[in-house]
Amino acid sequence: MLFWRLVLLGMLYLSLSFGQLRENNAQQRFARSVVNMDDMLNLEDDLVSNVEKLAEALARKAKTIKWGVFKMMKRRQEYKSSMEIFANPIDTFSLIRHMQSNWLMWLLYLETPVGQEELFFVDSRMPLLPKYFDFIDAAEGIRKMQATYQMFSSDIAKGLLDGVQYNSSLKPIDCLAIGLHLMNNSRWYAAEQWISASIEAYDQKSSQTDMELLRGPKLADLCRILGQVQMKQRNHEGALQAYQVALKLSPHDPEIYEEYRILEKRDLTLSDIEPIEQDKDNSHERLVLPPCCSGRCQVPRNLSNLYCVYNHVTSPFLQLAPIKTEILSIDPFVVLLHDMISQKESTLIRTSSKEHMLPSATTDPDASDDETQVDTYRTSKSVWYSSDFNDTTKKITERLGDATGLDMNSTEFYQVINYGLGGFFETHLDMLLSEKNRFNGTSDRIATTLFYLNEVRQGGGTYFPRLNLTVFPQPGSALFWYNLDTKGNDHMGSLHTGCPVIVGSKWVMSKWINDMGQEFTRPCVESSLSSKEVLSAERLII
């Protein structure tokens, strides 16, 4: 069952629609890519400017009202100080006209709404704002990043990410939001960490105004929530302590007091045989998390004596311009090809892709061509280009054919991918067919090439769990590996993970190479020891 799930994870983006670009009308998912972050900031600039206009309009109206009050108070003082009040018919008429007419105008002025245009502008921009599923994406991205790299919630809140301190921090309300999300999913252990981090961040004076502004709870509310989480974990002593702190901070809150009395009574009468609620955080919340994305795991001995070569054997052109090739594994064959894409080409690909990026989706091979679903195991946005989309893709395709010795006429489209907040791709296999349907004339992905288009400041490596190998993005390089062994069968050693990005933006470009069409470049042989018989890059094995 696990094998088939991993195979299905590799069935990406087939039968979408052919052309130079392949896209669908999926929802915007802000957390799944950083390409739209500047658009969101520009939107906030517009909203803030609009609210500023509203504040100015309200201020003008308030100023007019204060001016009117001042004038009426002045007139009242003049009437009171007059020795012959209302003896003059002019004063009498003026007061009657004022009371009859001016107050009607004041009523109309006070009833006239202010800032309708500004309010309409805000309302018109609401569809462009992140939705609740965007928050879920963001919260899960933080949580998966935290669990993968085994970081403490309090460290993340302070900007300490996997041992590196950044000049950023989470507000108490940010920590609380993550904690409440985890509580809604009964992930009590992780929720407790984030509620505690919220309380810790609340103690900083610079953050208190953020919590108290408009909607944020007070410290007593946070302690109350912490007590509720601890009760769910049957930590009665901790829950009592949390409620005691909450009562000390807010002694006249009837709800906190009532909950504390119930908790205190329950603690005295709790039976030892009361069933314990299961915590979904066991086994790392059942997340599919790789153990070695940090790259700090010890490399197996059979991978420690590998080498680098100049490849000049897979294409006649390479006799003039050999490609620097770093052999990372022999079985399966995994190599890192250096200087495969220039900085200019990478920049062109990224900039031309930005406007076309959509949430990465999966197509079910058994469903209709148009039936796609946004991935839950891959937080990214992507776009597809044909090999001959422009001069850049043509040159890269030719270069890849030289570097691998494979026929580039039997390949899928390029897929340009950008990973967002905590962007990751769960452990999976890239081949599509089962062993049962392997040799029925249907094409399958014999190899994968992953081009790294930029530098990632922290995280975002490609991890092979069967090899205990982590490869971090190197701008301009391309990671190449075989998904099928020398006999055309599944190679489970090609199992791999896209590790969560910690800091930075991860841009990659995938190219899947199909087996049909490679009969002469990579024919079936008994083992990798017979690699001299093939024309592909495996000839580099010494």
Side-chain angles (χ1 to χ4, degrees), residues 249-467:
L249 294 169
S250 185
H252 303 296
D253 190 311
E255 292 184 358
I256 295 179
Y257 178 76
E258 181 63 25
E259 290 176 10
Y260 173 72
R261 295 292 298 171
I262 294 174
L263 176 60
E264 191 176 39
K265 181 179 179 180
R266 183 179 181 183
D267 186 58
L268 294 174
T269 59
L270 186 64
S271 171
D272 293 336
I273 62 174
E274 182 176 349
I276 297 178
E277 185 173 346
Q278 293 297 319
D279 184 359
K280 293 184 179 180
D281 274 77
N282 292 335
S283 302
H284 297 284
E285 303 168 90
R286 300 179 183 175
L287 299 176
V288 183
L289 300 174
C292 195
C293 275
S294 63
R296 302 188 186 104
C297 296
Q298 185 177 358
V299 179
R301 181 173 298 179
N302 61 341
L303 293 182
S304 60
N305 295 320
L306 299 179
Y307 47 89
C308 300
V309 297
Y310 277 100
N311 176 13
H312 60 271
V313 300
T314 53
S315 169
F317 177 74
L318 298 188
Q319 295 287 339
L320 300 175
I323 294 177
K324 289 182 286 186
T325 304
E326 186 176 349
I327 299 179
L328 304 178
S329 170
I330 294 177
D331 189 22
F333 186 69
V334 182
V335 295
L336 188 65
L337 308 171
H338 292 271
D339 301 326
M340 286 293 290
I341 297 184
S342 68
Q343 183 176 355
K344 181 179 179 180
E345 291 171 331
S346 296
T347 302
L348 177 63
I349 292 172
R350 297 198 307 270
T351 55
S352 62
S353 300
K354 181 178 178 180
E355 297 301 322
H356 305 285
M357 304 290 280
L358 292 171
S360 298
T362 300
T363 298
D364 185 349
D366 297 325
S368 63
D369 290 346
D370 296 329
E371 187 175 344
T372 61
Q373 182 177 1
V374 174
D375 294 339
T376 58
Y377 50 81
R378 185 182 199 179
T379 52
S380 63
K381 289 183 180 180
S382 58
V383 64
W384 296 81
Y385 296 104
S386 62
S387 297
D388 59 354
F389 176 68
N390 55 29
D391 290 340
T392 298
T393 57
K394 290 178 182 178
K395 291 178 181 178
I396 294 173
T397 302
E398 183 178 3
R399 202 174 300 147
L400 180 60
D402 290 338
T404 62
L406 298 175
D407 188 347
M408 292 296 106
N409 291 316
S410 300
T411 63
E412 298 182 22
F413 280 36
Y414 284 107
Q415 186 192 26
V416 180
I417 310 163
N418 180 240
Y419 288 89
L421 196 160
F424 77 106
F425 195 167
E426 284 186 8
T427 304
H428 64 285
L429 297 165
D430 282 352
M431 71 279 289
L432 304 178
L433 301 179
S434 65
E435 293 288 356
K436 180 180 179 181
N437 299 321
R438 171 69 61 214
F439 304 106
N440 64 356
T442 305
S443 182
D444 201 358
R445 295 169 174 171
I446 189 175
T448 298
T449 307
L450 189 66
F451 296 89
Y452 295 116
L453 303 181
N454 73 320
E455 182 177 5
V456 181
R457 291 181 63 183
Q458 195 176 3
T462 304
Y463 173 61
F464 294 84
R466 296 292 181 95
L467 306 177

Side-chain angles (χ1 to χ4, degrees), residues 18-306:
F18 287 92
Q20 290 181 324
L21 296 176
R22 305 202 299 182
E23 312 177 347
N24 60 20
N25 295 320
Q27 296 171 319
Q28 182 72 273
R29 304 294 281 258
F30 289 99
R32 294 185 171 236
S33 172
V34 300
V35 297
N36 299 117
M37 291 297 105
D38 53 348
D39 296 334
M40 197 185 307
L41 286 177
N42 292 335
L43 175 59
E44 183 170 54
D45 287 342
D46 294 339
L47 291 170
V48 170
S49 298
N50 180 73
V51 173
E52 188 177 15
K53 292 179 182 177
L54 175 61
E56 292 172 354
L58 293 171
R60 286 194 299 270
K61 186 167 186 175
K63 184 178 180 180
T64 300
I65 294 172
K66 289 181 179 180
W67 174 83
V69 170
F70 171 77
K71 288 293 185 180
M72 288 184 283
M73 292 293 290
K74 183 178 179 181
R75 177 190 296 234
R76 186 168 175 269
Q77 292 297 327
E78 291 175 351
Y79 285 153
K80 283 187 174 183
S81 62
S82 176
M83 298 299 295
E84 299 179 352
I85 186 169
F86 306 131
N88 189 324
I90 296 176
D91 293 333
T92 302
F93 174 80
S94 180
L95 178 62
I96 292 174
R97 186 212 58 79
H98 163 71
M99 296 298 292
Q100 183 274 328
S101 177
N102 286 4
W103 274 106
L104 286 176
M105 289 188 292
W106 272 112
L107 178 62
L108 291 174
Y109 182 74
L110 293 173
E111 288 180 341
T112 301
V114 177
Q116 290 299 297
E117 182 179 348
E118 288 78 13
L119 292 174
F120 176 78
F121 179 85
V122 174
D123 185 65
S124 68
R125 295 301 185 271
M126 292 303 291
L128 303 178
L129 296 177
K131 306 299 187 294
Y132 184 65
F133 55 72
D134 290 304
F135 165 75
I136 298 298
D137 285 346
E140 286 299 314
I142 290 287
R143 180 57 192 146
K144 286 183 171 66
M145 178 186 71
Q146 175 189 9
T148 299
Y149 297 99
Q150 300 181 7
M151 292 185 279
F152 293 109
S153 303
S154 57
D155 288 342
I156 297 175
K158 296 173 184 176
L160 181 61
L161 305 178
D162 198 27
V164 181
Q165 182 65 56
Y166 293 93
N167 188 26
S168 301
S169 61
L170 291 176
K171 299 291 185 181
I173 198 170
D174 297 326
C175 301
L176 175 62
I178 297 176
L180 293 177
H181 163 67
L182 295 168
M183 289 175 63
N184 290 335
N185 290 274
S186 301
R187 295 148 73 177
W188 307 114
Y189 177 75
E192 180 182 358
Q193 294 183 44
W194 281 103
I195 301 301
S196 298
S198 179
I199 294 173
E200 186 176 341
Y202 190 90
D203 293 335
Q204 302 174 11
K205 294 182 179 180
S206 60
S207 300
Q208 290 186 12
T209 55
D210 182 85
M211 288 297 290
E212 296 170 355
L213 181 64
L214 293 180
R215 49 168 281 192
K218 297 181 179 179
L219 184 57
D221 298 316
L222 296 178
C223 294
R224 175 190 180 188
I225 296 173
L226 178 62
Q228 294 171 348
V229 173
Q230 291 172 330
M231 270 300 299
K232 288 293 186 179
Q233 300 180 87
R234 298 298 186 263
N235 181 3
H236 301 283
E237 182 178 353
L240 282 171
Q241 292 176 356
Y243 269 97
Q244 288 169 357
V245 174
L247 276 176
K248 185 177 180 180
L249 294 169
S250 185
H252 303 296
D253 190 311
E255 292 184 358
I256 295 179
Y257 178 76
E258 181 63 25
E259 290 176 10
Y260 173 72
R261 295 292 298 171
I262 294 174
L263 176 60
E264 191 176 39
K265 181 179 179 180
R266 183 179 181 183
D267 186 58
L268 294 174
T269 59
L270 186 64
S271 171
D272 293 336
I273 62 174
E274 182 176 349
I276 297 178
E277 185 173 346
Q278 293 297 319
D279 184 359
K280 293 184 179 180
D281 274 77
N282 292 335
S283 302
H284 297 284
E285 303 168 90
R286 300 179 183 175
L287 299 176
V288 183
L289 300 174
C292 195
C293 275
S294 63
R296 302 188 186 104
C297 296
Q298 185 177 358
V299 179
R301 181 173 298 179
N302 61 341
L303 293 182
S304 60
N305 295 320
L306 299 179

